[in-house]
Amino acid sequence: GLSEKLQNAFKNLRGKGQISEADLRITMREIRLALLDADVNFTVVRDFVKKVQNQAKGEKVLEGLNPGQQIVKIVDDELTAMMGGSATELTKAPKIPTVIMMVGLQGAGKTTTVGKLAKRLKQDEHARPLLIAADVYRPAAIDQLEQVGKQIDVPVFSEGTDVDPVQIVQDGLAQARENHNDYVFIDTAGRLQIDEKLMHELEEIKTVSHPNDILLVVDAMTGQNAVETAQGFNEDLNLTGVILTKLDGDTRGGAALSIKAVTGKPILFTGQGEKMTDLDVFHPDRMASRILGMGDVLSLVEKTQKNVDEQKAQELAEKMRENSFNFDDFLDQLQQIQNMGPLKDIMAMIPGMANNPALKNVEMDPKDLERIKAMIYSMTNEERENPDVLNPSRRRRIARGSAQPIQSVNRMIKQFDQMKKMMNQVSNGNMAGMENMMQA
Ligand code: GDP
Ligand code: MG
């Protein structure tokens, strides 16, 4: 998939103290191919690569990040920007009802998504939505919306299939005003392809209903077609946003990446399944990280900087160089890691680690920290400074002294050794080494 290809593209930058133009060129070539392969629009890819290249050349390497991480960060930032930067919310009408018109091709997921959104608003804001059945071309469409309404306990306004949809929308809005519904969703008809008759009808509905949002529902599985569809609908209706459905399926990600860049309209939500709860707010930054599959390098650095005392960090670096990392340092580290939050979360922010199965076993329970403390406090100064002296009889003594089973003592010493190795890898800026260690 796209994530794997992108991660591969970064591989030749890993652990390098400096990145040459040639390195960068190879990486950018691979990124370009990965994006094109994922069905990202050609011009979007070209602009994207240009932006990343310019930034990579212009930017000085941030302290605390190695050059490879720096490029990952630039790519992450640019992907985020390409998808619109931050999440976009629904537009609220100054006076109720807020009118949301849903449009899209047949089968894209309009009716389902109307239900998902209404349910969400009901839950989040105790909203009282009304759903208008304006798809009169298929009798089953009205039944479907009525079933959705029943499922989420939201009223549906319909006048059957014999009334003009524009009239239905007007009547539905009148009822909503009368009943003080705060949201109105208009579930419109779709065709297999964009055609003039449909567009004309949608324009008329828009004229009479003054929607606060016109949301296009597109199927992510259709890749480039989703982007073309968005372009078509946007030209005629001037959309306010897009909802990308079926992201739970086997999509290549191209639609999510291209829609904003091509149409200028943001994605507000994504559909992740057929159930009424399978709707997520679209966060460009999270999506970028998900696509990169590398977590967020910068937030790791930020988090580290916030929590690790400068002085201590320097002392630690010194010890790394002397290779004299001892149990007191180990305790310090565990304490700091605990202050940062679950070890698992921290690890997940390291590039390439997010999907690492080894992470399942990395858990730092506060009780564990207490037990580890007890064991380290049961050591003599000599043992703390000089882990090599810990022979079986000393280990048994520590177990007795801390009231822990001998297995726990052995495990703790093993963890210490692992952390020592990991510290070495990190201090050498060698992420690949660290990954190998975690997989061991
Ligand atoms: P409409 O013609 O645009 O109103 O589309 P529907 O709401 O009737 O949806 C068409 C089909 O897609 C239905 O079988 C839905 O259950 C399914 N569907 C809608 N959204 C999603 C989604 O996010 N994920 C998956 N897997 N299926 C979806
Ligand atoms: Mg429908």
PDB file of all heavy atoms in Angstrom, residues 103-114 116 135 138 141 144 148 187-190 217 219 221 244-249 270-275 278, ligand 1:
ATOM      1  N   VAL A 103     -25.544  15.782  -1.714  1.00  0.00           N
ATOM      2  CA  VAL A 103     -25.599  15.436  -3.136  1.00  0.00           C
ATOM      3  C   VAL A 103     -24.544  14.369  -3.441  1.00  0.00           C
ATOM      4  O   VAL A 103     -23.616  14.154  -2.655  1.00  0.00           O
ATOM      5  CB  VAL A 103     -25.364  16.686  -4.027  1.00  0.00           C
ATOM      6  CG1 VAL A 103     -26.423  17.749  -3.763  1.00  0.00           C
ATOM      7  CG2 VAL A 103     -23.963  17.264  -3.808  1.00  0.00           C
ATOM      8  N   GLY A 104     -24.696  13.733  -4.586  1.00  0.00           N
ATOM      9  CA  GLY A 104     -23.699  12.736  -4.978  1.00  0.00           C
ATOM     10  C   GLY A 104     -24.275  11.699  -5.914  1.00  0.00           C
ATOM     11  O   GLY A 104     -25.496  11.624  -6.086  1.00  0.00           O
ATOM     12  N   LEU A 105     -23.402  10.919  -6.500  1.00  0.00           N
ATOM     13  CA  LEU A 105     -23.850   9.892  -7.435  1.00  0.00           C
ATOM     14  C   LEU A 105     -24.590   8.782  -6.693  1.00  0.00           C
ATOM     15  O   LEU A 105     -24.449   8.636  -5.474  1.00  0.00           O
ATOM     16  CB  LEU A 105     -22.640   9.296  -8.179  1.00  0.00           C
ATOM     17  CG  LEU A 105     -21.867  10.269  -9.074  1.00  0.00           C
ATOM     18  CD1 LEU A 105     -20.719   9.531  -9.770  1.00  0.00           C
ATOM     19  CD2 LEU A 105     -22.784  10.910 -10.106  1.00  0.00           C
ATOM     20  N   GLN A 106     -25.345   8.001  -7.446  1.00  0.00           N
ATOM     21  CA  GLN A 106     -26.091   6.890  -6.874  1.00  0.00           C
ATOM     22  C   GLN A 106     -25.141   5.877  -6.233  1.00  0.00           C
ATOM     23  O   GLN A 106     -24.135   5.513  -6.840  1.00  0.00           O
ATOM     24  CB  GLN A 106     -26.873   6.228  -8.007  1.00  0.00           C
ATOM     25  CG  GLN A 106     -27.934   5.286  -7.544  1.00  0.00           C
ATOM     26  CD  GLN A 106     -28.757   4.815  -8.733  1.00  0.00           C
ATOM     27  OE1 GLN A 106     -29.226   5.607  -9.546  1.00  0.00           O
ATOM     28  NE2 GLN A 106     -28.929   3.504  -8.835  1.00  0.00           N
ATOM     29  N   GLY A 107     -25.469   5.489  -5.018  1.00  0.00           N
ATOM     30  CA  GLY A 107     -24.654   4.472  -4.348  1.00  0.00           C
ATOM     31  C   GLY A 107     -23.444   5.016  -3.608  1.00  0.00           C
ATOM     32  O   GLY A 107     -22.702   4.255  -2.990  1.00  0.00           O
ATOM     33  N   ALA A 108     -23.257   6.330  -3.657  1.00  0.00           N
ATOM     34  CA  ALA A 108     -22.076   6.901  -2.997  1.00  0.00           C
ATOM     35  C   ALA A 108     -22.187   6.808  -1.472  1.00  0.00           C
ATOM     36  O   ALA A 108     -21.181   6.703  -0.775  1.00  0.00           O
ATOM     37  CB  ALA A 108     -21.892   8.358  -3.421  1.00  0.00           C
ATOM     38  N   GLY A 109     -23.421   6.839  -0.981  1.00  0.00           N
ATOM     39  CA  GLY A 109     -23.615   6.746   0.466  1.00  0.00           C
ATOM     40  C   GLY A 109     -24.371   7.929   1.059  1.00  0.00           C
ATOM     41  O   GLY A 109     -24.310   8.161   2.267  1.00  0.00           O
ATOM     42  N   LYS A 110     -25.113   8.680   0.222  1.00  0.00           N
ATOM     43  CA  LYS A 110     -25.838   9.865   0.722  1.00  0.00           C
ATOM     44  C   LYS A 110     -26.811   9.521   1.840  1.00  0.00           C
ATOM     45  O   LYS A 110     -26.768  10.111   2.918  1.00  0.00           O
ATOM     46  CB  LYS A 110     -26.645  10.520  -0.423  1.00  0.00           C
ATOM     47  CG  LYS A 110     -25.827  11.192  -1.477  1.00  0.00           C
ATOM     48  CD  LYS A 110     -26.716  11.776  -2.568  1.00  0.00           C
ATOM     49  CE  LYS A 110     -27.463  10.742  -3.366  1.00  0.00           C
ATOM     50  NZ  LYS A 110     -26.626   9.772  -4.099  1.00  0.00           N
ATOM     51  N   THR A 111     -27.688   8.572   1.556  1.00  0.00           N
ATOM     52  CA  THR A 111     -28.749   8.266   2.515  1.00  0.00           C
ATOM     53  C   THR A 111     -28.160   7.759   3.836  1.00  0.00           C
ATOM     54  O   THR A 111     -28.561   8.185   4.919  1.00  0.00           O
ATOM     55  CB  THR A 111     -29.716   7.241   1.893  1.00  0.00           C
ATOM     56  OG1 THR A 111     -30.184   7.771   0.644  1.00  0.00           O
ATOM     57  CG2 THR A 111     -30.889   6.963   2.807  1.00  0.00           C
ATOM     58  N   THR A 112     -27.197   6.859   3.704  1.00  0.00           N
ATOM     59  CA  THR A 112     -26.544   6.330   4.899  1.00  0.00           C
ATOM     60  C   THR A 112     -25.882   7.449   5.695  1.00  0.00           C
ATOM     61  O   THR A 112     -25.984   7.511   6.921  1.00  0.00           O
ATOM     62  CB  THR A 112     -25.459   5.303   4.480  1.00  0.00           C
ATOM     63  OG1 THR A 112     -26.021   4.402   3.540  1.00  0.00           O
ATOM     64  CG2 THR A 112     -24.913   4.562   5.670  1.00  0.00           C
ATOM     65  N   THR A 113     -25.207   8.348   4.976  1.00  0.00           N
ATOM     66  CA  THR A 113     -24.452   9.408   5.648  1.00  0.00           C
ATOM     67  C   THR A 113     -25.377  10.439   6.298  1.00  0.00           C
ATOM     68  O   THR A 113     -25.051  10.984   7.354  1.00  0.00           O
ATOM     69  CB  THR A 113     -23.477  10.085   4.656  1.00  0.00           C
ATOM     70  OG1 THR A 113     -22.718   9.065   4.010  1.00  0.00           O
ATOM     71  CG2 THR A 113     -22.540  11.029   5.374  1.00  0.00           C
ATOM     72  N   VAL A 114     -26.532  10.690   5.675  1.00  0.00           N
ATOM     73  CA  VAL A 114     -27.537  11.559   6.311  1.00  0.00           C
ATOM     74  C   VAL A 114     -27.852  11.008   7.701  1.00  0.00           C
ATOM     75  O   VAL A 114     -27.863  11.731   8.701  1.00  0.00           O
ATOM     76  CB  VAL A 114     -28.825  11.638   5.447  1.00  0.00           C
ATOM     77  CG1 VAL A 114     -30.001  12.143   6.267  1.00  0.00           C
ATOM     78  CG2 VAL A 114     -28.608  12.543   4.231  1.00  0.00           C
ATOM     79  N   LYS A 116     -26.022   8.949   9.562  1.00  0.00           N
ATOM     80  CA  LYS A 116     -24.851   9.018  10.445  1.00  0.00           C
ATOM     81  C   LYS A 116     -24.684  10.420  11.024  1.00  0.00           C
ATOM     82  O   LYS A 116     -24.406  10.599  12.219  1.00  0.00           O
ATOM     83  CB  LYS A 116     -23.589   8.654   9.665  1.00  0.00           C
ATOM     84  CG  LYS A 116     -23.460   7.194   9.266  1.00  0.00           C
ATOM     85  CD  LYS A 116     -22.210   7.025   8.384  1.00  0.00           C
ATOM     86  CE  LYS A 116     -21.980   5.571   7.987  1.00  0.00           C
ATOM     87  NZ  LYS A 116     -20.774   5.432   7.135  1.00  0.00           N
ATOM     88  N   ASP A 135     -35.395  12.114  -2.932  1.00  0.00           N
ATOM     89  CA  ASP A 135     -35.049  11.200  -4.029  1.00  0.00           C
ATOM     90  C   ASP A 135     -36.326  10.459  -4.420  1.00  0.00           C
ATOM     91  O   ASP A 135     -36.707   9.486  -3.785  1.00  0.00           O
ATOM     92  CB  ASP A 135     -33.961  10.220  -3.572  1.00  0.00           C
ATOM     93  CG  ASP A 135     -33.572   9.233  -4.680  1.00  0.00           C
ATOM     94  OD1 ASP A 135     -34.193   9.292  -5.771  1.00  0.00           O
ATOM     95  OD2 ASP A 135     -32.646   8.433  -4.462  1.00  0.00           O
ATOM     96  N   ARG A 138     -36.563   6.524  -7.178  1.00  0.00           N
ATOM     97  CA  ARG A 138     -36.584   5.119  -6.798  1.00  0.00           C
ATOM     98  C   ARG A 138     -37.428   4.993  -5.535  1.00  0.00           C
ATOM     99  O   ARG A 138     -37.055   5.545  -4.503  1.00  0.00           O
ATOM    100  CB  ARG A 138     -35.157   4.623  -6.513  1.00  0.00           C
ATOM    101  CG  ARG A 138     -34.260   4.578  -7.751  1.00  0.00           C
ATOM    102  CD  ARG A 138     -32.893   4.045  -7.376  1.00  0.00           C
ATOM    103  NE  ARG A 138     -32.321   4.826  -6.293  1.00  0.00           N
ATOM    104  CZ  ARG A 138     -31.499   4.343  -5.367  1.00  0.00           C
ATOM    105  NH1 ARG A 138     -31.188   3.072  -5.376  1.00  0.00           N
ATOM    106  NH2 ARG A 138     -31.007   5.136  -4.448  1.00  0.00           N
ATOM    107  N   ALA A 141     -35.786   4.272  -2.336  1.00  0.00           N
ATOM    108  CA  ALA A 141     -34.957   5.293  -1.693  1.00  0.00           C
ATOM    109  C   ALA A 141     -35.671   5.913  -0.495  1.00  0.00           C
ATOM    110  O   ALA A 141     -35.049   6.189   0.535  1.00  0.00           O
ATOM    111  CB  ALA A 141     -34.574   6.371  -2.708  1.00  0.00           C
ATOM    112  N   GLN A 144     -35.810   3.469   2.332  1.00  0.00           N
ATOM    113  CA  GLN A 144     -34.477   3.376   2.955  1.00  0.00           C
ATOM    114  C   GLN A 144     -34.262   4.516   3.946  1.00  0.00           C
ATOM    115  O   GLN A 144     -33.804   4.302   5.071  1.00  0.00           O
ATOM    116  CB  GLN A 144     -33.405   3.405   1.865  1.00  0.00           C
ATOM    117  CG  GLN A 144     -32.009   3.073   2.371  1.00  0.00           C
ATOM    118  CD  GLN A 144     -30.949   3.421   1.337  1.00  0.00           C
ATOM    119  OE1 GLN A 144     -31.276   3.711   0.175  1.00  0.00           O
ATOM    120  NE2 GLN A 144     -29.697   3.419   1.746  1.00  0.00           N
ATOM    121  N   VAL A 148     -33.741   4.351   8.010  1.00  0.00           N
ATOM    122  CA  VAL A 148     -32.616   5.018   8.687  1.00  0.00           C
ATOM    123  C   VAL A 148     -33.158   5.903   9.810  1.00  0.00           C
ATOM    124  O   VAL A 148     -32.660   5.879  10.940  1.00  0.00           O
ATOM    125  CB  VAL A 148     -31.781   5.846   7.675  1.00  0.00           C
ATOM    126  CG1 VAL A 148     -30.889   6.848   8.386  1.00  0.00           C
ATOM    127  CG2 VAL A 148     -30.961   4.926   6.793  1.00  0.00           C
ATOM    128  N   ASP A 187     -31.997  14.738   1.518  1.00  0.00           N
ATOM    129  CA  ASP A 187     -31.428  13.559   0.866  1.00  0.00           C
ATOM    130  C   ASP A 187     -31.866  13.564  -0.595  1.00  0.00           C
ATOM    131  O   ASP A 187     -33.004  13.242  -0.905  1.00  0.00           O
ATOM    132  CB  ASP A 187     -31.921  12.296   1.586  1.00  0.00           C
ATOM    133  CG  ASP A 187     -31.264  11.039   1.038  1.00  0.00           C
ATOM    134  OD1 ASP A 187     -30.094  11.125   0.606  1.00  0.00           O
ATOM    135  OD2 ASP A 187     -31.923   9.984   1.043  1.00  0.00           O
ATOM    136  N   THR A 188     -30.981  13.952  -1.476  1.00  0.00           N
ATOM    137  CA  THR A 188     -31.349  14.127  -2.887  1.00  0.00           C
ATOM    138  C   THR A 188     -31.095  12.863  -3.701  1.00  0.00           C
ATOM    139  O   THR A 188     -30.463  11.922  -3.236  1.00  0.00           O
ATOM    140  CB  THR A 188     -30.544  15.286  -3.524  1.00  0.00           C
ATOM    141  OG1 THR A 188     -29.164  14.924  -3.543  1.00  0.00           O
ATOM    142  CG2 THR A 188     -30.734  16.580  -2.760  1.00  0.00           C
ATOM    143  N   ALA A 189     -31.572  12.894  -4.936  1.00  0.00           N
ATOM    144  CA  ALA A 189     -31.395  11.751  -5.835  1.00  0.00           C
ATOM    145  C   ALA A 189     -29.988  11.758  -6.422  1.00  0.00           C
ATOM    146  O   ALA A 189     -29.329  12.792  -6.499  1.00  0.00           O
ATOM    147  CB  ALA A 189     -32.413  11.825  -6.963  1.00  0.00           C
ATOM    148  N   GLY A 190     -29.559  10.582  -6.829  1.00  0.00           N
ATOM    149  CA  GLY A 190     -28.272  10.504  -7.527  1.00  0.00           C
ATOM    150  C   GLY A 190     -28.443   9.788  -8.836  1.00  0.00           C
ATOM    151  O   GLY A 190     -29.471   9.154  -9.082  1.00  0.00           O
ATOM    152  N   VAL A 217     -21.207  13.694  -1.315  1.00  0.00           N
ATOM    153  CA  VAL A 217     -20.804  12.392  -0.785  1.00  0.00           C
ATOM    154  C   VAL A 217     -20.147  11.614  -1.930  1.00  0.00           C
ATOM    155  O   VAL A 217     -20.764  11.415  -2.979  1.00  0.00           O
ATOM    156  CB  VAL A 217     -22.032  11.633  -0.242  1.00  0.00           C
ATOM    157  CG1 VAL A 217     -21.629  10.262   0.274  1.00  0.00           C
ATOM    158  CG2 VAL A 217     -22.701  12.445   0.865  1.00  0.00           C
ATOM    159  N   ASP A 219     -17.553   8.198  -3.062  1.00  0.00           N
ATOM    160  CA  ASP A 219     -17.055   6.879  -2.700  1.00  0.00           C
ATOM    161  C   ASP A 219     -15.530   6.849  -2.915  1.00  0.00           C
ATOM    162  O   ASP A 219     -15.054   6.992  -4.034  1.00  0.00           O
ATOM    163  CB  ASP A 219     -17.771   5.861  -3.602  1.00  0.00           C
ATOM    164  CG  ASP A 219     -17.314   4.433  -3.379  1.00  0.00           C
ATOM    165  OD1 ASP A 219     -16.234   4.237  -2.783  1.00  0.00           O
ATOM    166  OD2 ASP A 219     -18.043   3.524  -3.819  1.00  0.00           O
ATOM    167  N   MET A 221     -13.554   4.512  -2.892  1.00  0.00           N
ATOM    168  CA  MET A 221     -13.052   3.375  -3.669  1.00  0.00           C
ATOM    169  C   MET A 221     -12.932   3.712  -5.154  1.00  0.00           C
ATOM    170  O   MET A 221     -12.277   2.980  -5.892  1.00  0.00           O
ATOM    171  CB  MET A 221     -13.975   2.184  -3.492  1.00  0.00           C
ATOM    172  CG  MET A 221     -14.291   1.895  -2.065  1.00  0.00           C
ATOM    173  SD  MET A 221     -13.677   0.315  -1.542  1.00  0.00           S
ATOM    174  CE  MET A 221     -15.031  -0.710  -2.006  1.00  0.00           C
ATOM    175  N   LEU A 244     -16.205  11.725   2.357  1.00  0.00           N
ATOM    176  CA  LEU A 244     -15.584  10.610   1.644  1.00  0.00           C
ATOM    177  C   LEU A 244     -16.003   9.306   2.322  1.00  0.00           C
ATOM    178  O   LEU A 244     -15.654   9.070   3.477  1.00  0.00           O
ATOM    179  CB  LEU A 244     -14.070  10.796   1.720  1.00  0.00           C
ATOM    180  CG  LEU A 244     -13.184  10.054   0.746  1.00  0.00           C
ATOM    181  CD1 LEU A 244     -13.552  10.371  -0.695  1.00  0.00           C
ATOM    182  CD2 LEU A 244     -11.724  10.443   1.002  1.00  0.00           C
ATOM    183  N   THR A 245     -16.767   8.485   1.590  1.00  0.00           N
ATOM    184  CA  THR A 245     -17.269   7.246   2.207  1.00  0.00           C
ATOM    185  C   THR A 245     -16.421   6.044   1.814  1.00  0.00           C
ATOM    186  O   THR A 245     -15.588   6.117   0.920  1.00  0.00           O
ATOM    187  CB  THR A 245     -18.715   6.959   1.763  1.00  0.00           C
ATOM    188  OG1 THR A 245     -18.730   6.832   0.344  1.00  0.00           O
ATOM    189  CG2 THR A 245     -19.658   8.048   2.202  1.00  0.00           C
ATOM    190  N   LYS A 246     -16.657   4.955   2.502  1.00  0.00           N
ATOM    191  CA  LYS A 246     -16.071   3.647   2.203  1.00  0.00           C
ATOM    192  C   LYS A 246     -14.557   3.646   2.347  1.00  0.00           C
ATOM    193  O   LYS A 246     -13.857   2.915   1.653  1.00  0.00           O
ATOM    194  CB  LYS A 246     -16.527   3.158   0.824  1.00  0.00           C
ATOM    195  CG  LYS A 246     -18.057   3.237   0.697  1.00  0.00           C
ATOM    196  CD  LYS A 246     -18.622   2.617  -0.542  1.00  0.00           C
ATOM    197  CE  LYS A 246     -20.086   3.067  -0.686  1.00  0.00           C
ATOM    198  NZ  LYS A 246     -20.746   2.517  -1.843  1.00  0.00           N
ATOM    199  N   LEU A 247     -14.078   4.466   3.244  1.00  0.00           N
ATOM    200  CA  LEU A 247     -12.636   4.455   3.527  1.00  0.00           C
ATOM    201  C   LEU A 247     -12.243   3.169   4.254  1.00  0.00           C
ATOM    202  O   LEU A 247     -11.060   2.889   4.410  1.00  0.00           O
ATOM    203  CB  LEU A 247     -12.242   5.664   4.381  1.00  0.00           C
ATOM    204  CG  LEU A 247     -11.715   6.877   3.633  1.00  0.00           C
ATOM    205  CD1 LEU A 247     -11.146   7.892   4.592  1.00  0.00           C
ATOM    206  CD2 LEU A 247     -10.630   6.495   2.618  1.00  0.00           C
ATOM    207  N   ASP A 248     -13.249   2.442   4.723  1.00  0.00           N
ATOM    208  CA  ASP A 248     -12.948   1.154   5.355  1.00  0.00           C
ATOM    209  C   ASP A 248     -12.593   0.104   4.313  1.00  0.00           C
ATOM    210  O   ASP A 248     -12.023  -0.925   4.628  1.00  0.00           O
ATOM    211  CB  ASP A 248     -14.166   0.683   6.167  1.00  0.00           C
ATOM    212  CG  ASP A 248     -15.457   0.715   5.347  1.00  0.00           C
ATOM    213  OD1 ASP A 248     -15.737   1.760   4.743  1.00  0.00           O
ATOM    214  OD2 ASP A 248     -16.176  -0.299   5.304  1.00  0.00           O
ATOM    215  N   GLY A 249     -12.934   0.385   3.074  1.00  0.00           N
ATOM    216  CA  GLY A 249     -12.667  -0.589   2.019  1.00  0.00           C
ATOM    217  C   GLY A 249     -11.226  -0.519   1.539  1.00  0.00           C
ATOM    218  O   GLY A 249     -10.383   0.151   2.128  1.00  0.00           O
ATOM    219  N   THR A 270     -15.438  11.346   7.105  1.00  0.00           N
ATOM    220  CA  THR A 270     -15.212  10.128   6.324  1.00  0.00           C
ATOM    221  C   THR A 270     -16.121   9.031   6.851  1.00  0.00           C
ATOM    222  O   THR A 270     -16.364   8.937   8.049  1.00  0.00           O
ATOM    223  CB  THR A 270     -13.752   9.651   6.424  1.00  0.00           C
ATOM    224  OG1 THR A 270     -13.428   9.370   7.783  1.00  0.00           O
ATOM    225  CG2 THR A 270     -12.789  10.691   5.876  1.00  0.00           C
ATOM    226  N   GLY A 271     -16.593   8.215   5.926  1.00  0.00           N
ATOM    227  CA  GLY A 271     -17.394   7.050   6.285  1.00  0.00           C
ATOM    228  C   GLY A 271     -16.478   5.851   6.391  1.00  0.00           C
ATOM    229  O   GLY A 271     -15.644   5.609   5.539  1.00  0.00           O
ATOM    230  N   GLN A 272     -16.647   5.120   7.497  1.00  0.00           N
ATOM    231  CA  GLN A 272     -15.733   4.001   7.753  1.00  0.00           C
ATOM    232  C   GLN A 272     -16.466   2.680   7.855  1.00  0.00           C
ATOM    233  O   GLN A 272     -15.932   1.725   8.421  1.00  0.00           O
ATOM    234  CB  GLN A 272     -14.952   4.247   9.057  1.00  0.00           C
ATOM    235  CG  GLN A 272     -14.298   5.605   9.148  1.00  0.00           C
ATOM    236  CD  GLN A 272     -12.958   5.645   8.425  1.00  0.00           C
ATOM    237  OE1 GLN A 272     -12.479   4.632   7.955  1.00  0.00           O
ATOM    238  NE2 GLN A 272     -12.353   6.819   8.345  1.00  0.00           N
ATOM    239  N   GLY A 273     -17.697   2.625   7.353  1.00  0.00           N
ATOM    240  CA  GLY A 273     -18.451   1.383   7.435  1.00  0.00           C
ATOM    241  C   GLY A 273     -19.926   1.647   7.214  1.00  0.00           C
ATOM    242  O   GLY A 273     -20.334   2.784   6.964  1.00  0.00           O
ATOM    243  N   GLU A 274     -20.727   0.595   7.298  1.00  0.00           N
ATOM    244  CA  GLU A 274     -22.146   0.729   6.974  1.00  0.00           C
ATOM    245  C   GLU A 274     -22.999   1.109   8.183  1.00  0.00           C
ATOM    246  O   GLU A 274     -24.138   1.523   8.039  1.00  0.00           O
ATOM    247  CB  GLU A 274     -22.662  -0.580   6.378  1.00  0.00           C
ATOM    248  CG  GLU A 274     -21.914  -0.973   5.109  1.00  0.00           C
ATOM    249  CD  GLU A 274     -22.658  -2.026   4.297  1.00  0.00           C
ATOM    250  OE1 GLU A 274     -23.848  -1.820   4.007  1.00  0.00           O
ATOM    251  OE2 GLU A 274     -22.044  -3.054   3.962  1.00  0.00           O
ATOM    252  N   LYS A 275     -22.459   0.952   9.379  1.00  0.00           N
ATOM    253  CA  LYS A 275     -23.256   1.226  10.582  1.00  0.00           C
ATOM    254  C   LYS A 275     -23.410   2.737  10.807  1.00  0.00           C
ATOM    255  O   LYS A 275     -22.597   3.535  10.355  1.00  0.00           O
ATOM    256  CB  LYS A 275     -22.587   0.595  11.808  1.00  0.00           C
ATOM    257  CG  LYS A 275     -22.654  -0.934  11.803  1.00  0.00           C
ATOM    258  CD  LYS A 275     -22.377  -1.517  13.181  1.00  0.00           C
ATOM    259  CE  LYS A 275     -21.028  -1.138  13.751  1.00  0.00           C
ATOM    260  NZ  LYS A 275     -19.890  -1.674  13.003  1.00  0.00           N
ATOM    261  N   ASP A 278     -20.411   4.651  12.036  1.00  0.00           N
ATOM    262  CA  ASP A 278     -19.149   4.608  11.289  1.00  0.00           C
ATOM    263  C   ASP A 278     -18.873   5.910  10.533  1.00  0.00           C
ATOM    264  O   ASP A 278     -18.776   5.919   9.302  1.00  0.00           O
ATOM    265  CB  ASP A 278     -19.154   3.427  10.306  1.00  0.00           C
ATOM    266  CG  ASP A 278     -19.218   2.090  11.019  1.00  0.00           C
ATOM    267  OD1 ASP A 278     -18.740   2.026  12.172  1.00  0.00           O
ATOM    268  OD2 ASP A 278     -19.741   1.134  10.441  1.00  0.00           O
TER     269      ASP A 278
HETATM  270  P1  GDP B   1     -26.881   6.725  -1.919  1.00  0.00           P
HETATM  271  O1  GDP B   1     -27.385   6.091  -3.179  1.00  0.00           O
HETATM  272  O2  GDP B   1     -25.851   7.763  -2.226  1.00  0.00           O
HETATM  273  O3  GDP B   1     -27.952   7.240  -1.045  1.00  0.00           O
HETATM  274  O4  GDP B   1     -26.083   5.575  -1.115  1.00  0.00           O
HETATM  275  P2  GDP B   1     -26.558   4.693   0.122  1.00  0.00           P
HETATM  276  O5  GDP B   1     -26.564   5.500   1.361  1.00  0.00           O
HETATM  277  O6  GDP B   1     -27.802   3.996  -0.221  1.00  0.00           O
HETATM  278  O7  GDP B   1     -25.339   3.686   0.228  1.00  0.00           O
HETATM  279  C1  GDP B   1     -25.032   2.744  -0.791  1.00  0.00           C
HETATM  280  C2  GDP B   1     -24.352   1.536  -0.149  1.00  0.00           C
HETATM  281  O8  GDP B   1     -23.090   1.909   0.390  1.00  0.00           O
HETATM  282  C3  GDP B   1     -25.130   0.960   1.003  1.00  0.00           C
HETATM  283  O9  GDP B   1     -25.047  -0.454   0.944  1.00  0.00           O
HETATM  284  C4  GDP B   1     -24.401   1.479   2.230  1.00  0.00           C
HETATM  285  O10 GDP B   1     -24.545   0.607   3.326  1.00  0.00           O
HETATM  286  C5  GDP B   1     -22.986   1.519   1.748  1.00  0.00           C
HETATM  287  N1  GDP B   1     -22.148   2.498   2.453  1.00  0.00           N
HETATM  288  C6  GDP B   1     -22.381   3.807   2.677  1.00  0.00           C
HETATM  289  N2  GDP B   1     -21.358   4.385   3.337  1.00  0.00           N
HETATM  290  C7  GDP B   1     -20.437   3.415   3.560  1.00  0.00           C
HETATM  291  C8  GDP B   1     -19.149   3.387   4.192  1.00  0.00           C
HETATM  292  O11 GDP B   1     -18.612   4.366   4.692  1.00  0.00           O
HETATM  293  N3  GDP B   1     -18.514   2.177   4.204  1.00  0.00           N
HETATM  294  C9  GDP B   1     -19.061   1.062   3.646  1.00  0.00           C
HETATM  295  N4  GDP B   1     -18.354  -0.062   3.704  1.00  0.00           N
HETATM  296  N5  GDP B   1     -20.254   1.063   3.040  1.00  0.00           N
HETATM  297  C10 GDP B   1     -20.946   2.215   2.996  1.00  0.00           C
END
